Amino acid sequence: MFDISTYTKRREQLKKQISKGIALFLGNNESPMNYRANTYRYRQDSTFLYFFGINEPGFAAVIDFESGEEIIFGNDLDIDAIIWTGLRPSIAEKAALCGVKDTRPLNKLESYLSQNANRPVHFLPPYRHDNSLLIEKLLGIKVEFQKNYISVPLIKAVVALRSVKEQAEIEALEEAMKMAWHMHTSGMKMIKPGLYEREIHGVMEGIALSFGGAVSFPIILTVNGETLHNHYHGNKMQAGDLLLIDAGVEAPNHYCTDHTRTYPVSGSYSPKQREIYELVLKANKEAIEMIRPDITFREIHLHAATVIAEGLKDLGLMQGNTKEAVNQGAHALFFPHGLGHMMGLDVHDMEDLGENHVGYDKETPRSSQFGTGFLRFGKKLKEGFVLTVEPGIYFIPALIDKWKNENKFKEFINYDKVESYRTFGGIRIEDDILVTANSHKILGQMIPKEVDEIENILKNQP
Amino acid sequence: MFDISTYTKRREQLKKQISKGIALFLGNNESPMNYRANTYRYRQDSTFLYFFGINEPGFAAVIDFESGEEIIFGNDLDIDAIIWTGLRPSIAEKAALCGVKDTRPLNKLESYLSQNANRPVHFLPPYRHDNSLLIEKLLGIKVEFQKNYISVPLIKAVVALRSVKEQAEIEALEEAMKMAWHMHTSGMKMIKPGLYEREIHGVMEGIALSFGGAVSFPIILTVNGETLHNHYHGNKMQAGDLLLIDAGVEAPNHYCTDHTRTYPVSGSYSPKQREIYELVLKANKEAIEMIRPDITFREIHLHAATVIAEGLKDLGLMQGNTKEAVNQGAHALFFPHGLGHMMGLDVHDMEDLGENHVGYDKETPRSSQFGTGFLRFGKKLKEGFVLTVEPGIYFIPALIDKWKNENKFKEFINYDKVESYRTFGGIRIEDDILVTANSHKILGQMIPKEVDEIENILKNQP
């Protein structure tokens, strides 16, 4: 899917953006679980995949912005290793697939950098501790000080490139979407009272693995959708519960998906659940409809917040001037997170490079308000961007109690009414959207999200 | 399953074995995948689980061998965190479940150790880089020198305790075995030509997750069983192939399983496959039969090697004096790995503490011979030990070529005959065994391993 010219072109474009020094890219190594040899599933660094395509531990690479030189560092297997792993392509053969001709053993990286010690070395923020230690060894910068020496110009150059998805990347995303559709619809069809959350979780993650991929993040699958950071799957589902499933695949091509649906365990939404569901769905659809180049994503986020606040006012949960309520952030009691984030090789694309570098700029700085401040991406959209749109409404007991005790926003929130929703839970609906030349495209076949559609499917299960 | 008295008793027993200084136990933290917030499945350190039972990131503990004092360090959630995660038990409540009364915030660990700077601090070998960095911060020992300062007395004391499984641990293992049986037999029943390895892999790992557990190590599931370090699942299975499946679960109680079976993709073994299979099965059964207290596991390993060498001689692949061939290590061309390893909270139990501390002692030192030297456990067995028994026969082209070119063991190996098995692949059969007072017990319901039994099941698939 990605040929030599793709990688060569990406590196050429990168070179145009920085004129001095050397870029150092560290690939990821194996990550130990409960002892060194028992490792988690291998995951290469996404930026390393983007520029070099090599999906194996033990690699590093440099790009010299002055000479144009590109070198991949890695070790060929010796005969003893070949006995256990079988014959594998050489480092030179692997490097040739991304158009890099110069390859050297990994232990030459240190001397290479020493020889260039009088020049700036650009490196990206390390997020794995072994790579932090390697940077300390290579560059002499102690782990705790490294955040002060990461290269903002390199971050900005990488973000500029990776943010705009190429045609081949869009195809890779569409390929991943097929797996996501299968994973989500299979999970949905299992829902029934008496089943444990973990039983659906196992089947869904198993499907991602069956395709030769994996999940792009730990699946959220819970009858307690109001607990936003929830990876517990031990509850038995009961009629009357809502089941929130937020799950994505990482396809074998390494591109990610991210969808959320919220289903009624009994097969039909109660009237109260349906009202809130329809409201979240309205926010989801209207937000998607607004996506096009040159609009800021923050504007869309605030529109979704307004739809939610207006709808909650109709239901008697909010009150007063909706515009003012959203301005001040009162909607965040119910919708405390951001509308969405970029997606690509990472499910939160490039989050390792810093959310503000990816999602904000001088023109659109990040808000510090509770709620809108959690929006990961706020800036102007461009053709080729891929974002999630995932509004939600939650009734979070700890947050309700906190605000109520503080008398916070009592002009906008009808706390008496809110009490009657205390055990409601939470609803989120999420899709993945590509920004096109004049508009947008929803990626993948739609996973059912209309009330009637979902109820028809769930009612017709055996 | 494990109550307060279990944990208290374990720590009391530990305290009897060391008289001076403080033991420092670091729990595991979250492990980042492709950015800091996107983490792998959380896995606590097994020794931390064994003594404290707390299965969450962000904990450390100390035991003072002189005063008997026990302290758990960890942070309670603040209100902001509770909003996202829901209300959780406090550190004090968690510590109470393992009988520890003294709890303190994590940031007090450094000052606690400083106050005790004139006393020895015993710590176990760190295998995660963040914990290496923490030890550097706490004790001032640079990461690369830490291996020189790990506490051998603490390692030996922990190994002595964890090696002998308590009744509750045996019950926990039996619980895990039920999941393993379901996982393996479900995988087996899927086998048919035309399916990809990854499709069975996905279902098997999905089953482990469905039980609320996980796999205890990355599943090996391959038509190339001769490649021992193989985690590729992209091959399409064809009639005539052997499919080797080496997989284990980690149950929600954290105890592990580890079984290998080798099936014929077509539904029946060819005569050539059947001969080798029966030979591996004989080695597996005779080795299991020998297990009892006071016999060394190396003796059993060498018996399995002898069964294999004798059988290969009957097939014309080996020749000469079998006893001498095994003494010199000629069987290792076909059986290059060890017979098995300890199992418990880790699938290779306590491998982080050092294989030689777990598997060898002065009475039984480790061999340096190719093959037998890879045996992870060689010493005398005791009641309560749990080990795997996993003989195998493989035809590894790179190893055959190497030895043949070196004229190695040509008096014992018929290289001409070996050539006719070059593409045979590999067979391994593995079970998990408990050493009992006078004998042994195979853990769990037997996953089918007799030829007729397997062929009957595979032939009757739709």
Side-chain angles (χ1 to χ4, degrees):
Chain A
M1 185 167 271
F2 299 105
D3 57 11
I4 298 178
S5 67
T6 305
Y7 296 108
T8 308
K9 192 179 155 202
R10 289 172 180 172
R11 293 193 305 271
E12 290 309 317
Q13 287 179 309
L14 182 70
K15 286 178 198 171
K16 281 182 199 152
Q17 297 189 57
I18 299 181
S19 57
K20 287 259 177 243
I22 294 161
L24 169 65
F25 297 97
L26 299 181
N28 282 342
N29 296 310
E30 295 284 9
S31 186
M33 193 170 71
N34 52 335
Y35 49 91
R36 234 171 252 264
N38 203 23
T39 55
Y40 286 108
R41 172 178 171 268
Y42 177 69
R43 182 44 157 93
Q44 180 58 290
D45 174 69
S46 296
T47 296
F48 202 87
L49 280 174
Y50 185 81
F51 288 114
F52 305 99
I54 296 175
N55 184 36
E56 273 179 64
F59 281 85
V62 296
I63 295 176
D64 187 322
F65 290 118
E66 288 153 73
S67 70
E69 189 178 43
E70 302 168 335
I71 313 169
I72 287 179
F73 294 86
N75 293 332
D76 279 313
L77 294 180
D78 59 17
I79 173 70
D80 290 335
I82 288 168
I83 288 168
W84 309 115
T85 62
L87 206 56
R88 300 248 199 110
S90 69
I91 304 300
E93 286 168 309
K94 285 170 196 158
L97 295 176
C98 68
V100 172
K101 287 171 197 76
D102 192 347
T103 62
R104 303 184 192 176
L106 194 55
N107 66 10
K108 299 292 180 197
L109 176 58
E110 196 168 355
S111 60
Y112 171 87
L113 290 169
S114 296
Q115 284 153 24
N116 287 282
N118 58 336
R119 303 173 57 203
V121 176
H122 300 270
F123 64 93
L124 300 171
Y127 53 91
R128 288 201 179 179
H129 300 91
D130 55 333
N131 276 342
S132 295
L133 280 164
L134 182 58
I135 287 175
E136 179 169 317
K137 183 170 175 242
L138 292 171
L139 304 179
I141 308 169
K142 289 188 88 172
V143 172
E144 63 264 44
F145 296 108
Q146 286 171 8
K147 61 182 177 300
N148 301 327
Y149 297 96
I150 55 178
S151 168
V152 174
L154 184 58
I155 289 173
K156 288 194 169 169
V158 171
V159 168
L161 281 168
R162 284 182 56 191
S163 293
V164 180
K165 270 61 181 175
E166 305 153 354
Q167 187 54 38
E169 290 185 284
I170 294 164
E171 286 163 23
L173 283 161
E174 289 284 11
E175 192 62 30
M177 295 293 153
K178 292 179 197 159
M179 301 172 194
W181 185 87
H182 189 68
M183 179 175 80
H184 271 274
T185 55
S186 302
M188 170 179 57
K189 287 176 185 167
M190 288 178 71
I191 294 173
K192 62 175 180 193
L195 213 65
Y196 284 90
E197 296 162 340
R198 58 178 158 75
E199 298 181 82
I200 300 181
H201 164 242
V203 168
M204 289 181 69
E205 185 155 345
I207 288 171
L209 295 166
S210 292
F211 283 118
V215 292
S216 56
F217 60 95
I219 291 178
I220 297 170
L221 190 152
T222 178
V223 295
N224 298 125
E226 79 284 3
T227 306
L228 297 180
H229 296 177
N230 196 336
H231 295 107
Y232 179 71
H233 302 131
N235 296 304
K236 191 187 261 194
M237 293 180 272
Q238 296 178 3
D241 285 343
L242 290 168
L243 183 71
L244 184 151
I245 303 180
D246 186 350
V249 305
E250 181 192 319
N253 63 34
H254 305 295
Y255 283 80
C256 295
T257 75
D258 189 1
H259 292 90
T260 308
R261 292 293 183 266
T262 311
Y263 305 108
V265 170
S266 68
S268 19
Y269 297 94
S270 71
K272 205 169 172 183
Q273 289 170 341
R274 188 175 177 133
E275 282 171 345
I276 300 289
Y277 187 91
E278 293 282 15
L279 183 50
V280 177
L281 186 60
K282 183 168 192 268
N284 163 286
K285 287 177 172 178
E286 289 194 15
I288 292 172
E289 214 34 62
M290 287 172 79
I291 290 182
R292 57 169 171 74
D294 289 328
I295 191 170
T296 67
F297 199 62
R298 173 146 75 203
E299 198 176 326
I300 304 178
H301 167 85
L302 290 172
H303 178 77
T306 306
V307 168
I308 285 170
E310 195 61 35
L312 291 174
K313 192 172 152 184
D314 292 344
L315 294 174
L317 286 151
M318 290 187 75
Q319 58 203 15
N321 182 298
T322 299
K323 198 177 167 195
E324 201 44 45
V326 170
N327 263 347
Q328 294 189 32
H331 64 280
L333 177 63
F334 309 100
F335 173 39
H337 61 72
L339 183 66
H341 51 80
M342 273 204 153
M343 199 185 70
L345 282 165
D346 304 303
V347 63
H348 290 176
D349 212 21
M350 303 172 277
E351 185 163 302
D352 59 312
L353 304 181
E355 281 181 10
N356 290 349
H357 288 301
V358 177
Y360 291 92
D361 54 20
K362 275 185 193 156
E363 204 183 332
T364 316
R366 192 164 187 158
S367 162
S368 60
Q369 191 183 75
F370 179 89
T372 302
F374 297 131
L375 180 64
R376 293 193 160 85
F377 187 100
K379 70 186 181 188
K380 258 191 196 167
L381 301 181
K382 275 194 193 176
E383 183 182 354
F385 283 11
V386 170
L387 289 124
T388 66
V389 170
E390 46 180 310
I393 295 179
Y394 315 88
F395 294 87
I396 304 170
L399 187 60
I400 293 168
D401 291 343
K402 183 169 185 267
W403 281 27
K404 196 177 172 183
N405 290 339
E406 293 168 358
N407 271 321
K408 193 164 172 175
F409 294 133
K410 60 180 178 178
E411 64 276 36
F412 300 124
I413 295 166
N414 180 352
Y415 283 106
D416 287 344
K417 181 83 179 177
V418 169
E419 277 306 321
S420 66
Y421 282 75
R422 194 176 181 83
T423 61
F424 181 93
I427 290 174
R428 179 162 68 249
I429 305 171
E430 175 181 25
D431 294 296
D432 304 330
I433 318 294
L434 167 71
V435 184
T436 59
N438 302 302
S439 176
H440 63 270
K441 181 177 184 293
I442 300 177
L443 291 170
Q445 184 182 345
M446 182 60 77
I447 298 162
K449 65 176 175 180
E450 299 293 337
V451 166
D452 292 351
E453 208 183 353
I454 289 170
E455 291 188 344
N456 273 331
I457 293 168
L458 292 183
K459 276 181 209 154
N460 292 317
Q461 289 318 303
Chain B
M1 184 169 273
F2 299 106
D3 56 12
I4 297 179
S5 67
T6 305
Y7 296 109
T8 307
K9 192 178 155 202
R10 289 172 181 173
R11 293 193 306 271
E12 290 309 318
Q13 287 178 310
L14 182 70
K15 286 180 199 170
K16 283 182 198 151
Q17 297 188 57
I18 299 180
S19 57
K20 287 258 176 240
I22 294 160
L24 169 64
F25 298 97
L26 300 181
N28 282 341
N29 297 309
E30 296 282 9
S31 186
M33 192 170 70
N34 53 334
Y35 49 90
R36 236 171 251 264
N38 202 23
T39 55
Y40 286 109
R41 172 179 171 269
Y42 176 69
R43 182 42 157 97
Q44 179 59 288
D45 174 67
S46 295
T47 297
F48 202 88
L49 280 175
Y50 185 81
F51 289 114
F52 305 100
I54 296 175
N55 184 37
E56 272 180 63
F59 281 85
V62 295
I63 295 177
D64 187 322
F65 290 118
E66 288 153 74
S67 71
E69 188 177 44
E70 303 169 332
I71 313 168
I72 289 179
F73 294 86
N75 294 331
D76 279 314
L77 294 180
D78 59 17
I79 175 67
D80 289 335
I82 288 169
I83 288 168
W84 309 114
T85 62
L87 207 54
R88 299 249 199 109
S90 70
I91 304 299
E93 285 168 309
K94 285 171 197 156
L97 295 177
C98 69
V100 172
K101 287 172 197 76
D102 191 348
T103 62
R104 304 185 191 174
L106 194 55
N107 66 9
K108 299 293 179 198
L109 176 58
E110 197 169 353
S111 60
Y112 171 87
L113 291 169
S114 296
Q115 284 153 23
N116 288 282
N118 57 336
R119 303 174 58 203
V121 176
H122 299 271
F123 63 93
L124 299 171
Y127 53 89
R128 289 200 178 179
H129 301 91
D130 54 333
N131 276 341
S132 296
L133 281 164
L134 182 56
I135 287 175
E136 179 170 319
K137 184 171 175 243
L138 292 171
L139 304 179
I141 308 169
K142 289 188 89 172
V143 172
E144 64 265 42
F145 296 108
Q146 287 170 7
K147 60 181 175 303
N148 302 326
Y149 297 97
I150 55 179
S151 169
V152 173
L154 184 58
I155 289 174
K156 288 193 170 170
V158 171
V159 168
L161 282 169
R162 283 183 56 192
S163 293
V164 179
K165 270 63 182 174
E166 306 151 352
Q167 187 52 37
E169 289 185 286
I170 294 165
E171 285 162 23
L173 283 161
E174 289 284 11
E175 192 62 31
M177 294 294 152
K178 291 180 198 160
M179 301 173 193
W181 186 87
H182 189 69
M183 179 175 81
H184 271 275
T185 55
S186 301
M188 172 179 58
K189 288 177 185 166
M190 288 178 71
I191 294 173
K192 62 175 181 190
L195 213 66
Y196 285 91
E197 297 162 338
R198 56 178 159 74
E199 298 180 82
I200 299 182
H201 164 241
V203 168
M204 288 182 68
E205 186 155 344
I207 288 171
L209 296 166
S210 292
F211 283 116
V215 291
S216 56
F217 60 95
I219 291 178
I220 297 171
L221 190 154
T222 177
V223 295
N224 298 126
E226 78 285 2
T227 306
L228 297 181
H229 297 177
N230 196 337
H231 295 108
Y232 180 71
H233 303 131
N235 296 303
K236 191 189 261 194
M237 294 181 272
Q238 295 178 4
D241 286 343
L242 289 168
L243 183 70
L244 185 151
I245 303 181
D246 187 350
V249 306
E250 180 192 319
N253 63 33
H254 305 295
Y255 283 80
C256 295
T257 74
D258 189 1
H259 291 90
T260 309
R261 291 293 182 267
T262 311
Y263 305 107
V265 170
S266 69
S268 21
Y269 296 95
S270 72
K272 207 170 172 180
Q273 289 170 341
R274 188 176 178 133
E275 282 171 344
I276 300 289
Y277 187 91
E278 294 282 16
L279 183 48
V280 177
L281 187 59
K282 185 168 190 272
N284 164 286
K285 286 177 173 179
E286 290 195 11
I288 292 171
E289 213 36 60
M290 288 172 77
I291 289 181
R292 56 172 171 75
D294 288 328
I295 191 170
T296 68
F297 199 62
R298 175 147 74 203
E299 199 177 326
I300 304 178
H301 168 84
L302 290 172
H303 178 78
T306 305
V307 169
I308 285 170
E310 195 61 34
L312 291 174
K313 193 172 152 185
D314 292 344
L315 295 173
L317 286 151
M318 290 187 77
Q319 58 203 12
N321 182 297
T322 299
K323 197 177 167 195
E324 201 44 45
V326 170
N327 264 346
Q328 293 189 32
H331 64 279
L333 177 62
F334 309 100
F335 174 38
H337 61 71
L339 184 65
H341 50 79
M342 275 203 151
M343 200 183 72
L345 282 165
D346 304 302
V347 63
H348 291 177
D349 212 21
M350 302 172 278
E351 186 164 303
D352 58 312
L353 304 182
E355 281 180 9
N356 291 350
H357 288 302
V358 176
Y360 292 93
D361 53 21
K362 275 185 193 155
E363 204 183 334
T364 314
R366 191 164 186 158
S367 162
S368 60
Q369 190 182 75
F370 179 91
T372 302
F374 297 131
L375 180 63
R376 291 192 161 87
F377 188 100
K379 71 185 181 190
K380 258 192 196 164
L381 301 181
K382 275 192 191 176
E383 184 183 353
F385 283 11
V386 170
L387 290 123
T388 66
V389 170
E390 47 180 311
I393 295 180
Y394 315 89
F395 294 86
I396 305 168
L399 187 60
I400 294 168
D401 291 344
K402 183 169 184 268
W403 282 25
K404 195 178 173 184
N405 289 339
E406 293 168 358
N407 270 320
K408 193 165 174 175
F409 295 133
K410 62 180 176 179
E411 64 277 35
F412 299 124
I413 295 165
N414 180 351
Y415 284 106
D416 286 346
K417 182 82 179 178
V418 169
E419 276 306 321
S420 67
Y421 281 76
R422 194 177 180 82
T423 60
F424 180 94
I427 290 175
R428 181 165 63 251
I429 305 172
E430 176 181 23
D431 294 296
D432 305 331
I433 318 294
L434 167 70
V435 185
T436 58
N438 302 302
S439 175
H440 64 269
K441 181 176 186 290
I442 300 177
L443 291 170
Q445 182 182 348
M446 182 60 77
I447 298 161
K449 66 176 174 179
E450 299 293 337
V451 165
D452 292 351
E453 207 183 356
I454 289 170
E455 291 187 343
N456 273 332
I457 294 168
L458 292 182
K459 275 181 206 154
N460 292 318
Q461 290 316 303

